[in-house]
Structure formats: C-alpha cells, structure tokens
Amino acid sequence: MKKLICLGIEGTAHTFGAAVVTDKKEILSDVRDMYTTEHGGIIPIEAAKHHRKLADGIVDKALKEANLSINEIDIISFSRAPGLAPCLLATRDKVVELAKKHNKKIIGVNHAVSHLTSGSLFTESKDPLYIYVSGANTQIIALIDKRFRILGETLDVGLGNALDKFGRRINLGFPSGPKIEELAKKGKYIELPYTIKGMDLAFSGIVTDAINKFKKGSKKEDLCYSIQETFFAMLTEVVERALAFTEKKQALLIGGVAANKRLIEMLNIMCKERNVEFYVVPLKYSGDQAVMISWQGILEYNAKRKDNLNVDIDDSERTDEVEVIW
Ligand code: ATP
Ligand code: FE2
C-alpha cells in the first residue's frame, strides 16, 4: 500500500516548526526555529510576527530535507489548539494559504494531545500512563474511555517553573533545572514541606520554604538536593497511585524535566517494583516540534477525519475535550 505522507506545522507558542512524517513512522525532516527574547517572557504578538516571517522558509526547508516536493505531500496538519491566540492565527493563516495554493487537505490537531500520542512514535510505548512535566505543565494523564483524562496535576506552577523560580532566587540563572540537578549531587537532605492534595500537587509553598532556609544560611547544594528529592518523591507517589488505579502496564515520561536523571531513576525504581514498563521520550522531542503534529495528523486522517477541514483555532481547548477516535 502507498505510504501516507504528512507535512505537519507547529506554531502555538515560541516555536515555529515544520516536519514531514510518514505513516510508516519515518521522520523525513524536522525543522524548527524558536522565538527568543533578551529579557523577560514571550510577547505573543512578537512571536506571531516571527512565525509569519519565517514560515515559508521553514516549510521549504522541511520539504527539501525530506527530499520531496509539495506535490508529493498527501495531507497538511497543524496545531489549532491550545496556545497563544496571535501565534495560532499566524500559523493557521499560513497553513490555509499553503493548502489552498496546492489543493491539500488540512487536519487541525490539539498540541497537548500530540505531545502524548507521539510517545508511540518516539518510543515503543502503547497506551501508557503519561507523566507530563514541563516548565508550565505537570499532569498525570491516562487514556480512559476515549478521552485523555487528567488524573492528577499541579495546583499552582509547573514542576519546571517551580525549579526555575527557586533557582533564580539562589542565583543560578535561567533555566535552573539542569543546574539544580548538578548541585544536588553534592547535597545532603534537609526537611522541606511535602504537599499532595488528593491526586494533585503543590510546589509553590515548598519553593518559598526553601528560599527562606537559604536566607537563613542553608547551603545551596543541600537545598537543591532536598527540593529535588521532595518534588520527585511527591510526583512518584501520585504516579504510583495512578498506576494502581488505572492498572496501566506502562508509564511514559514527557516534557523538559524528563531530562533529569534523578527523576528518571526514582520513577524507574517504582515502576520496576510494580512490574510496569517505563519509557522516556528522547530529549530531542520532549519540547515543541512539528514531528508530533505530523504524527497526530496521520492518526486522525487514518481514523476518520479525512474530510474534516477543521481550521478553527481555540486557545484553551483542554486535553480531555478531544475525543480519541484513532
Ligand atoms: P510547554 O509549554 O510545552 O509545557 P515549556 O516551555 O514550559 O513547555 P519545556 O521546554 O518542556 O517547558 O521544559 C523546560 C523546563 O524543563 C524548564 O523549567 C527547565 O528548568 C526544565 N529542565 C530542563 N532540564 C532539566 C533538568 N535536567 N532537571 C530539571 N529540570 C529541567
Ligand atoms: Fe508543548
């Protein structure tokens, strides 16, 4: 049977990317460019300008790397939700323009869902419990009755942002996650609060407590070690309960914080004890990119949404609002 070839386009936030992927799990290209600022955070309008300016070049490069002309592309997918509205609009406009010009079908997909489903492209996992830990997000998710259900999540900031906030206050610079991991290797344990509420986690109070201890003279190394041990133990505890509840036999770690070796070690030990296979999405694909958008386009196209030209953007569509039909 002929291969299905999808050009996927990502542009929900800071990164604009284009990638060509086939339904045989071949990643033919993966081109990305990130909008960055000298100081402070992302300015949505500026990021959208970045996307509009670079889109054509990035798409051309993705096709070139894949050694294909646009005529050989079967479908175009793009991330229609959730994200920053100006970025979503810029990306949608480019995709519609491209699809019209070359008479291609468009599949609009959910960015967060694509982070999850692409786990089966990047690893051997199938239907795992998802542990999604990035800067902004901390969620424990499972596919139950055709929906990605959020079983537990942070009640305040994401795990990565909590580490970054603590790091900034002890002068480690941004992002602090990797630096905290390094310093922790030389640290000793100091007791910090431990906050789990039901299946949810709260990090902010612990950050405040650790900063206070730093001001009173506790050593950086000890605090880095202790904050990691505390955060990761909390996460591991909730993941273990979610595994017991869902009876999933696999777990998959996703997101920027998945780079942390100590976190991987703790989850790995717990999974082994429960006879659960543990997977980690390779770092290269843990951030935003268009490969996952291509893969999601293929899944949805093959499942049913063949003629669904859904190009409506939605800046806040939740992971559990998407019906899993693939
Ligand atoms: P999204 O918006 O998709 O949720 P994001 O931009 O918030 O993504 P990522 O790019 O996935 O976040 O991850 C960045 C975060 O990962 C930062 O907070 C950073 O400190 C953290 N991080 C990176 N490496 C490590 C590490 N080795 N240990 C702990 N945290 C890490
Ligand atoms: Fe993302």
Side-chain angles (χ1 to χ4, degrees):
M1 224 171 78
K2 191 186 165 296
K3 271 189 226 175
L4 181 75
I5 305 176
C6 180
L7 168 67
I9 296 178
E10 158 61 27
T12 55
H14 45 54
T15 299
F16 190 90
V20 180
V21 176
T22 76
D23 61 349
K24 303 285 179 264
K25 293 193 170 181
E26 296 158 303
I27 300 169
L28 302 182
S29 64
D30 173 14
V31 181
R32 346 170 175 174
D33 191 278
M34 198 201 261
Y35 155 84
T36 49
T37 50
E38 295 259 325
H39 308 283
I42 180 168
I43 305 157
I45 299 280
E46 293 301 319
K49 272 190 206 155
H50 163 270
H51 294 0
R52 286 186 198 274
K53 196 168 130 206
L54 297 185
D56 292 339
I58 289 176
V59 168
D60 285 347
K61 204 167 164 205
L63 290 168
K64 208 166 172 197
E65 260 183 30
N67 232 335
L68 293 170
S69 79
I70 187 91
N71 298 327
E72 292 166 284
I73 298 293
D74 298 306
I75 52 171
I76 301 178
S77 65
F78 81 106
S79 42
R80 48 166 285 276
L84 303 169
C87 299
L88 292 169
L89 259 176
T91 306
R92 197 271 307 271
D93 288 352
K94 277 289 166 192
V95 168
V96 169
E97 184 190 304
L98 195 68
K100 269 204 181 130
K101 191 167 160 199
H102 300 283
N103 196 24
K104 303 288 174 193
K105 281 191 175 135
I106 306 176
I107 311 275
V109 304
N110 179 296
H111 171 97
V113 164
S114 308
H115 268 301
L116 305 180
T117 54
S118 55
S120 65
L121 173 66
F122 302 134
T123 74
E124 296 295 310
S125 66
K126 285 185 199 91
D127 191 26
L129 180 80
Y130 299 90
I131 309 158
Y132 180 29
V133 281
S134 64
N137 293 294
T138 300
Q139 294 181 325
I140 293 143
I141 303 167
L143 182 59
I144 301 169
D145 295 336
K146 299 199 167 186
R147 300 267 165 181
F148 285 110
R149 315 271 170 187
I150 299 164
L151 304 174
E153 62 188 318
T154 176
L155 296 170
D156 42 51
V157 294
L159 178 51
N161 285 353
L163 290 169
D164 292 337
K165 196 172 151 205
F166 168 67
R168 196 162 55 232
R169 296 297 293 276
I170 64 164
N171 311 314
L172 297 184
F174 178 85
S176 307
K179 290 167 193 151
I180 293 173
E181 179 173 18
E182 251 337 279
L183 284 173
K185 289 178 184 158
K186 293 175 264 169
K188 287 197 302 287
Y189 183 71
I190 302 172
E191 194 168 339
L192 293 173
Y194 186 94
T195 32
I196 295 182
K197 294 181 182 154
M199 289 289 281
D200 295 326
L201 307 151
F203 300 113
S204 285
I206 304 172
V207 170
T208 306
D209 191 80
I211 292 167
N212 286 338
K213 287 198 163 88
F214 175 68
K215 285 183 189 156
K216 287 184 190 146
S218 291
K219 278 169 58 188
K220 272 187 192 180
E221 290 80 2
D222 294 345
L223 288 167
C224 287
Y225 175 72
S226 307
I227 209 163
Q228 278 203 165
E229 291 303 298
T230 306
F231 284 175
F232 299 168
M234 285 161 48
L235 185 69
T236 306
E237 181 184 330
V238 175
V239 169
E240 183 167 21
R241 277 198 265 145
L243 283 168
F245 169 69
T246 57
E247 298 182 341
K248 298 282 181 196
K249 289 290 159 220
Q250 298 183 336
L252 175 69
L253 185 62
I254 306 174
V257 188
N260 191 291
K261 298 274 189 311
R262 178 63 183 145
L263 176 61
I264 292 175
E265 182 183 38
M266 282 169 79
L267 288 168
N268 205 8
I269 291 168
M270 182 275 292
C271 285
K272 261 209 183 111
E273 281 170 2
R274 298 193 63 90
N275 251 332
V276 166
E277 289 170 32
F278 179 55
Y279 298 92
V280 183
V281 165
L283 212 55
K284 188 176 165 198
Y285 298 115
S286 69
D288 290 351
Q289 24 74 26
V291 175
M292 66 182 193
I293 305 300
S294 288
W295 183 241
Q296 184 58 23
I298 288 171
L299 290 178
E300 295 197 23
Y301 182 83
N302 278 342
K304 172 177 108 197
R305 296 197 181 129
K306 286 195 167 42
D307 301 307
N308 182 1
L309 241 127
N310 189 355
V311 296
D312 296 340
I313 60 166
D314 182 342
D315 60 357
S316 61
E317 184 177 79
R318 277 177 62 98
T319 310
D320 51 9
E321 283 178 62
V322 178
E323 192 189 357
V324 178
I325 51 152
W326 51 90

